[in-house]
């Protein structure tokens, strides 16, 4: 792997005696990580059923290394949303942000969803998560990952933060800024980033990063916390960006991040953390935690009345137990909301709350996202396969199934599960399972 000369000179100046150790890290295989979805299963219970050889990632409470020989993206538990596949170092920023239940949280640059899904587990079905990314195309993958994780309290949006800043001053309790960057820390994992660095180097992103972070700070409540992170080593993109925001916001201050073996402090900023691939089992990262002076005040949520619902929706809702919230109908979509958060005119919202399903003429069809947000106890009709049953993969491929051996007296809409973890919906009639698994989610 040929690294740019300018980059090597910068790294040699940064690492000095450790520079050769850093270069040698490119000869080692990258590390693979998965993070357990504690919205669906505890870490302890997952370890009992996990088919993979897992070793704990030391800076998270729910992350594990797995072997490159494992194929977790092909396992039914992946389709049940029991874990998220994420580079180990990338798990640190959301772990560090001190999210409490009932917080209103903003993930500013959220796609593809690794950090948002972690923040959702911290909220634990309470409060609100605004999962935003300016790229509408990247938001499609973000939306799927949020839905796969069973997040029922999330909005997925695609907005410029400078627009949001005008409408949501001091609105959010916690904010995560995983800023776009030159990607120096990912050169081993994604060598194609080297070409991009040659074109833009580490001087292209700092103005963008400063704008994003300053806008985010304006939306942070007094007493709130904000994490700034990148996957790069450049001082221009890390410590200088932090210094810029500290200079512009005197009410902001750094908070020390607890360091474990291998973690390095920021350059002249001891509170921050730098991760280097020759020091830890993961790629390069920078993380800073800041707090705004003042006291946070939680606003009491007042839910609006639900919209008038068609009979087909009302009939379906008799099969389900939903938590307290508001049901709204937006064109043909039926959405469940747990907060009174309001979108301003022009705000690009892909999903506001949990999509229950879609009206199709006089019929209602429940969504894949609803299935993944449920526990079996919340739905009247449940069909459960064991993990060894070959029909699990057939269901995930969208096939119609013969289930006469499992069929009891239930019929109609049915929640299909594997080992009691929901996968999706189907219609059951006389021992035949008509598959309703979403086409865009199917097993490949």
């Amino acid at each position: 792997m040929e690294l740019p000369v300018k980059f090597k000179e910068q790294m040699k100046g940064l690492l000095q005696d450790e520079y050769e150790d850093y270069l040698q890290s490119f000869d080692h295989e990258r590390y693979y990580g998965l993070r357990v979805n504690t919205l669906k299963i505890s870490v302890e219970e997952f370890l009992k059923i996990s088919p993979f050889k897992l070793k704990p990632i030391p800076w998270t409470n729910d992350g594990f290394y797995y072997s490159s020989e494992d194929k977790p993206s092909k396992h039914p538990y992946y389709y049940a949303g029991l874990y998220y596949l994420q580079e180990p170092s990338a798990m640190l920023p959301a772990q560090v942000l001190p999210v409490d239940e009932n917080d209103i949280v903003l993930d500013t640059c959220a796609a593809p969803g690794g950090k948002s899904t972690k923040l959702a587990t911290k909220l634990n079905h309470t409060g609100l998560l605004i999962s935003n990314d300016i790229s509408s195309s990247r938001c499609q993958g973000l939306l799927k990952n949020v839905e796969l994780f069973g997040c029922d309290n999330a909005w997925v949006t695609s907005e410029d933060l400078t627009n949001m800043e005008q409408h949501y001053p001091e609105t959010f309790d916690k904010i995560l800024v995983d800023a776009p960057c030159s990607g120096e820390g990912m050169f081993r994992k994604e060598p194609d980033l080297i070409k991009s660095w040659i074109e833009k180097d580490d001087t292209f992103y700092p103005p963008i990063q400063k704008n994003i972070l300053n806008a985010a700070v304006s939306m942070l409540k007094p007493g709130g916390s904000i994490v700034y992170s990148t996957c790069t080593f450049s001082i221009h993109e890390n410590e200088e960006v932090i210094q810029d925001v500290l200079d512009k916001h005197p009410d902001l201050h750094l908070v020390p991040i607890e360091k474990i073996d291998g973690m390095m402090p920021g350059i002249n900023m001891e509170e921050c953390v730098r991760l280097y691939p020759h020091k830890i089992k993961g790629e390069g990262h920078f993380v800073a935690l800041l707090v705004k002076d003042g006291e946070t005040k939680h606003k009491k949520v007042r839910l609006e009345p639900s919209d008038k619902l068609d009979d087909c929706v009302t009939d379906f809702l008799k099969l389900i137990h939903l938590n307290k919230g508001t049901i709204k109908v937006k064109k043909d979509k039926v959405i469940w909301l747990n907060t009174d958060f309001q979108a301003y005119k022009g705000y690009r919202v892909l999903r506001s709350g949990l999509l229950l399903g879609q009206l199709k003429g006089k019929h209602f069809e429940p969504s894949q996202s609803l299935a993944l947000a449920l526990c079996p106890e919340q739905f009247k009709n449940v069909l459960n396969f064991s993990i060894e049953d070959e029909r699990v993969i057939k269901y995930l491929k969208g096939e119609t199934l013969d289930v006469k051996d499992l069929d009891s007296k239930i019929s109609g809409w049915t929640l299909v599960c594997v080992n009691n973890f929901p996968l999706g919906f189907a219609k059951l009639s006389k021992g035949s399972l008509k598959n309703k698994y979403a086409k865009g989610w199917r097993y490949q």
Side-chain angles (χ1 to χ4, degrees):
M1 184 180 299
E2 187 60 38
L3 296 170
V5 173
K6 180 183 175 183
F7 171 71
K8 290 194 288 187
E9 290 173 351
Q10 290 178 347
M11 290 303 291
K12 194 168 186 177
L14 193 65
L15 296 173
Q16 298 182 15
D17 293 345
E18 295 184 8
Y19 175 65
E20 292 300 325
D21 294 335
Y22 166 69
L23 290 182
Q24 288 177 18
S25 72
F26 285 92
D27 297 329
H28 303 150
E29 185 183 15
R30 56 160 290 203
Y31 292 91
Y32 298 85
L34 66 78
R35 201 187 67 254
V36 178
N37 181 0
T38 55
L39 294 176
K40 294 176 179 282
I41 188 171
S42 70
V43 170
E44 294 74 22
E45 288 301 315
F46 179 76
L47 291 176
K48 291 177 184 177
I49 67 170
S50 170
F52 316 120
K53 299 172 185 176
L54 302 178
K55 294 182 180 180
I57 295 171
W59 49 84
T60 72
N61 53 15
D62 50 10
F64 296 87
Y65 297 104
Y66 67 89
S67 168
S68 59
E69 297 171 1
D70 290 325
K71 303 295 180 188
S73 65
K74 291 292 186 181
H75 197 280
Y77 288 157
Y78 175 80
Y79 289 81
L82 296 195
Y83 49 82
Y84 186 93
L85 303 180
Q86 188 174 25
E87 193 282 312
S89 295
M91 297 183 190
L92 182 62
Q95 175 72 30
V96 165
L97 189 63
V99 172
D100 299 311
E101 293 190 4
N102 296 308
D103 276 347
I104 301 176
V105 181
L106 171 64
D107 187 357
T108 61
C109 309
K115 296 172 179 68
S116 278
T117 49
K118 169 65 177 183
L119 298 174
T121 64
K122 288 189 167 190
L123 286 169
N124 192 27
H125 300 292
T126 69
L128 175 67
L129 172 63
I130 302 293
S131 191
N132 181 79
D133 199 281
I134 195 170
S135 168
S136 57
S137 60
R138 283 168 55 83
C139 274
Q140 297 302 322
L142 168 62
L143 175 60
K144 182 179 176 182
N145 284 324
V146 165
E147 292 181 334
L148 182 62
F149 237 58
C151 307
D152 56 6
N153 58 341
W155 286 37
V156 176
T157 68
S158 182
E159 192 58 288
D160 190 317
L161 291 189
T162 55
N163 292 336
M164 290 184 67
E165 180 186 10
Q166 307 304 314
H167 298 273
Y168 299 126
E170 296 190 342
T171 298
F172 300 97
D173 299 291
K174 311 289 161 57
I175 299 178
L176 180 64
V177 178
D178 185 47
C181 69
S182 61
E184 296 171 351
M186 295 291 160
F187 283 175
R188 176 173 66 179
K189 178 176 177 282
E190 300 177 49
D192 287 349
L193 290 171
I194 295 173
K195 181 181 177 182
S196 176
W197 195 96
I198 293 170
E199 294 172 357
K200 297 178 179 177
D201 67 36
D202 63 340
T203 61
F204 176 81
Y205 287 98
I208 299 170
Q209 293 158 341
K210 290 173 183 178
N211 286 340
I212 291 173
L213 184 55
N214 279 286
V217 170
S218 298
M219 291 187 279
L220 186 67
K221 287 181 182 177
S225 303
I226 189 165
V227 159
Y228 174 83
S229 64
T230 71
C231 55
T232 196
F233 304 120
S234 170
I235 295 173
H236 302 314
E237 300 182 70
N238 294 327
E239 287 86 356
E240 288 182 8
V241 173
I242 296 299
Q243 191 59 56
D244 176 78
V245 78
L246 290 172
D247 291 342
K248 290 176 179 172
H249 299 271
D251 57 345
L252 207 64
H253 62 273
L254 279 165
V255 176
I257 298 171
E258 183 180 354
K259 296 172 183 63
I260 62 167
D261 230 17
M263 288 185 177
M264 302 301 291
I267 309 300
N268 299 320
M269 284 186 178
E270 292 283 328
E271 301 91 342
C272 306
V273 165
R274 281 176 163 262
L275 301 181
Y276 293 103
H278 66 287
K279 304 284 285 186
I280 51 97
K281 293 180 178 180
E283 307 307 314
H285 245 75
F286 171 87
V287 185
L289 173 62
L290 304 111
V291 169
K292 183 183 280 190
D293 295 336
E295 186 177 344
T296 298
K297 294 180 181 179
H298 278 295
K299 185 184 75 169
K300 190 171 181 179
V301 173
R302 290 180 175 82
L303 292 170
E304 297 178 15
S306 292
D307 290 342
K308 180 173 172 52
L309 303 174
D310 289 8
D311 290 344
C312 59
V313 179
T314 303
D315 290 343
F316 177 82
L317 291 179
K318 292 175 183 176
L319 301 173
I320 188 173
H321 173 70
L322 287 174
N323 295 325
K324 186 178 179 181
T326 298
I327 297 176
K328 291 290 181 182
V329 180
K330 300 183 178 182
K331 295 183 179 179
D332 61 344
K333 292 181 171 60
V334 182
I335 295 171
W336 178 88
L337 297 157
N338 72 329
T339 74
D340 58 354
F341 190 82
Q342 297 295 315
Y344 56 85
K345 187 176 181 180
Y347 189 23
R348 292 177 291 177
V349 180
L350 280 75
R351 181 80 76 247
S352 54
L354 174 63
L355 176 65
L356 298 182
Q358 193 168 359
L359 289 162
K360 295 188 174 181
K362 295 182 179 181
H363 301 283
F364 175 76
E365 190 151 310
S367 72
Q368 189 70 36
S369 54
L370 173 60
L372 271 294
L374 292 174
C375 299
E377 297 77 21
Q378 289 179 278
F379 203 75
K380 183 179 179 181
N381 300 334
V382 176
L383 190 67
N384 187 45
F385 292 109
S386 72
I387 191 67
E388 294 84 12
D389 197 318
E390 63 181 15
R391 287 173 292 188
V392 173
I393 299 299
K394 289 182 178 180
Y395 172 75
L396 293 172
K397 288 182 176 180
E399 298 179 19
T400 298
L401 303 177
D402 184 333
V403 291
K404 291 185 180 69
D405 59 318
L406 298 176
D407 188 8
S408 57
K409 295 179 181 179
I410 65 175
S411 63
W413 283 111
T414 302
L415 184 65
V416 179
C417 300
V418 57
N419 283 12
N420 288 314
F421 298 109
L423 292 172
F425 286 111
K427 270 200 165 179
L428 182 57
S429 177
K430 298 179 181 179
S432 178
L433 198 68
K434 186 178 180 182
N435 206 315
K436 295 293 183 178
Y437 193 74
K439 290 182 180 179
W441 294 52
R442 290 180 183 173
Y443 190 94
Q444 300 293 322

